[in-house]
């Protein structure tokens, strides 16, 4: 219809570069998940249940145990004394396959580290926008970088929050026939941001005392889990648009959090900023709060 935003737009050269970096990072993260699933499947064949005794297969403990298994170690006592969970039969073929998976994992992790450095350098002059977005519950620094890369630092291509939500694909459809809404299914939109906002929404509703958690609990009674999560994702898109397009700042309207929780969140945010090459000096900026 006239006046509606075209779903695709061509960003400038700088934004295309940032977008290429963040999309490649997303692809590598998915590749890492696939490797983890393959390793778990391989271990199931050997009847070794590492995931039942450690929290993360590729965490610190897992990264010590897996290379030992790949080299032929099978003594449970020597594998961190994890008893029966680490007993099994690891054949020579299993060892070779595990070695290949671990070599591929090391390559992916190395490329992810380099991409993080390149992304931080490409987004350094937009660090303020990244930091403001990361104040939203469940929006971490990496997600904020991806949002800026996909939309632009000011989301200037989107005149309204509704058009922005529609472009992402978190706005209910409005296919009408004979005056009746025949479908409320969301458009596919930008698959990178659509996935990121869906994940952020699921994390936001678990953030204690946050506005998103309270809103989700109200919606859940009448709309069920799936529709409520999509409603939170759409609300997140509106908040993001206001922060980028209008220069607003996020103000939490949920229940008051504890000073200790606020301090922990600030420390985590500063730690993430430093790790990605940004300054951790967070200073108040002259912006209007969200309404």
């Amino acid at each position: 219809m006239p006046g509606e935003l075209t779903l695709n737009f061509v960003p400038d050269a700088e934004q295309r570069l940032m977008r290429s970096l963040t999309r490649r990072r997303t692809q590598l993260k998915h590749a890492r998940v696939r490797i983890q699933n393959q390793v778990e499947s391989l271990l199931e064949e050997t009847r070794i249940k590492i995931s039942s005794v450690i929290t993360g297969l590729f965490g610190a403990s897992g990264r010590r145990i897996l290379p030992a298994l790949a080299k032929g170690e099978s003594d449970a006592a020597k594998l961190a004394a994890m008893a029966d969970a680490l007993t099994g039969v690891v054949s020579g073929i299993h060892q070779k396959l595990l070695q290949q998976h671990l070599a591929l994992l090391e390559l992916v992790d190395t490329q992810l580290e380099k991409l993080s450095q390149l992304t931080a350098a490409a987004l350094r002059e937009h660090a303020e926008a990244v930091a403001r977005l990361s104040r939203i519950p469940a929006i971490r620094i990496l997600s904020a970088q991806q949002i800026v890369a996909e939309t632009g630092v000011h989301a200037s291509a989107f005149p309204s929050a509704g058009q922005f939500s529609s472009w992402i694909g978190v706005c209910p459809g409005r296919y009408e026939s004979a005056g009746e809404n025949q479908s409320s299914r969301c458009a596919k939109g930008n698959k990178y941001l659509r996935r990121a906002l869906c994940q952020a929404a699921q994390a936001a509703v678990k953030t204690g005392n946050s506005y998103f958690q309270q809103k989700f609990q109200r919606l859940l009674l009448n709309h069920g889990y799936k529709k409520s999560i999509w409603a939170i994702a759409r609300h997140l898109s509106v908040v993001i648009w206001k922060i980028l397009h209008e220069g607003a700042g996020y103000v939490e309207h949920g229940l008051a959090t504890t000073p200790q929780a606020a301090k922990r969140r600030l420390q985590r945010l500063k730690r993430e900023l430093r790790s990605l090459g940004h300054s951790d000096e967070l200073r108040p900026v002259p912006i209007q709060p969200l309404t």
Side-chain angles (χ1 to χ4, degrees):
M1 295 179 64
E4 290 190 349
L5 182 70
T6 302
L7 288 181
N8 294 314
F9 75 97
V10 180
D12 58 29
E14 180 191 19
Q15 187 181 338
R16 289 199 301 272
L17 175 62
M18 295 188 299
R19 190 179 62 180
S20 295
L21 290 170
T22 56
R23 288 185 177 185
R24 175 58 179 163
R25 186 172 61 192
T26 298
Q27 292 165 359
L28 286 177
K29 288 170 68 177
H30 291 166
R32 199 177 192 276
V33 172
R34 286 196 296 271
I35 295 172
Q36 178 172 337
N37 292 337
Q38 291 165 356
V39 170
E40 288 181 341
S41 178
L42 181 65
L43 292 177
E44 286 181 1
E45 293 183 15
T46 67
R47 298 182 180 179
I48 294 178
K49 303 176 182 179
I50 292 182
S51 58
S52 66
V53 292
I54 59 177
T55 55
L57 183 61
F58 290 164
S61 298
R63 297 296 286 267
R64 291 193 299 267
I65 294 170
L66 291 174
L69 288 172
K71 293 177 182 178
E73 181 60 68
S74 59
D75 190 324
K78 294 181 180 179
L79 294 172
M82 293 183 177
D84 293 339
L86 290 177
T87 59
V89 180
V90 183
S91 68
I93 295 297
H94 288 133
Q95 293 174 30
K96 295 296 183 183
L97 290 173
L98 184 55
Q99 289 170 10
Q100 288 192 354
H101 287 314
L102 294 179
L104 186 56
L105 174 65
E106 184 177 355
L107 174 61
V108 169
D109 283 346
T110 299
Q111 292 186 350
L112 276 171
E113 179 62 27
K114 291 180 178 178
L115 271 175
S116 293
Q117 297 172 3
L118 289 171
T119 304
L123 285 160
R124 185 160 290 125
E125 63 180 275
H126 306 310
E128 180 185 323
V130 171
R132 284 192 288 122
L133 285 173
S134 63
R135 293 179 183 272
I136 305 172
I139 299 293
R140 306 294 287 267
I141 297 296
L142 296 182
S143 298
Q145 288 180 332
Q146 185 171 33
I147 292 168
V148 171
E150 292 289 339
T151 67
V153 68
H154 299 298
S156 55
F158 310 98
S160 71
Q163 290 173 326
F164 183 64
S165 300
S166 179
W167 176 74
I168 294 174
V170 293
C171 185
R174 293 185 301 175
Y175 174 72
E176 295 184 357
S177 178
E180 295 185 3
N181 188 5
Q182 301 294 327
S183 175
S184 59
R185 179 177 297 178
C186 297
K188 292 183 178 180
N190 182 304
K191 64 179 182 180
Y192 293 94
L193 286 187
R194 180 183 168 100
R195 183 184 298 113
L197 259 63
C198 182
Q199 293 171 347
Q202 295 182 66
V205 301
K206 298 176 183 177
T207 303
N209 297 328
S210 71
Y211 169 79
F212 295 103
Q213 184 182 66
Q214 297 173 41
K215 182 178 179 69
F216 173 75
Q217 290 172 347
R218 293 195 301 268
L219 292 169
L220 191 61
L221 295 173
N222 297 320
H223 301 288
Y225 183 84
K226 186 175 180 179
K227 288 185 177 180
S228 299
I229 285 293
W230 279 116
I232 297 299
R234 184 185 184 280
H235 190 76
L236 276 170
S237 72
V238 173
V239 173
I240 289 168
W241 181 84
K242 285 180 173 289
I243 288 175
L244 293 178
H245 194 82
E246 298 183 351
Y250 181 77
V251 176
E252 179 57 64
H253 291 293
L255 297 175
T257 188
T258 64
Q260 294 82 0
K263 183 178 180 180
R264 287 195 300 269
R265 176 171 170 79
L266 180 60
Q267 290 175 339
R268 176 182 58 76
L269 176 57
K270 288 187 173 183
R271 188 167 56 249
E272 290 183 354
L273 285 169
R274 288 195 300 270
S275 69
L276 295 172
H278 295 299
S279 171
D280 66 350
E281 296 181 4
L282 299 178
R283 297 182 297 273
V285 291
I287 50 181
Q288 296 296 321
L290 294 173
T291 57

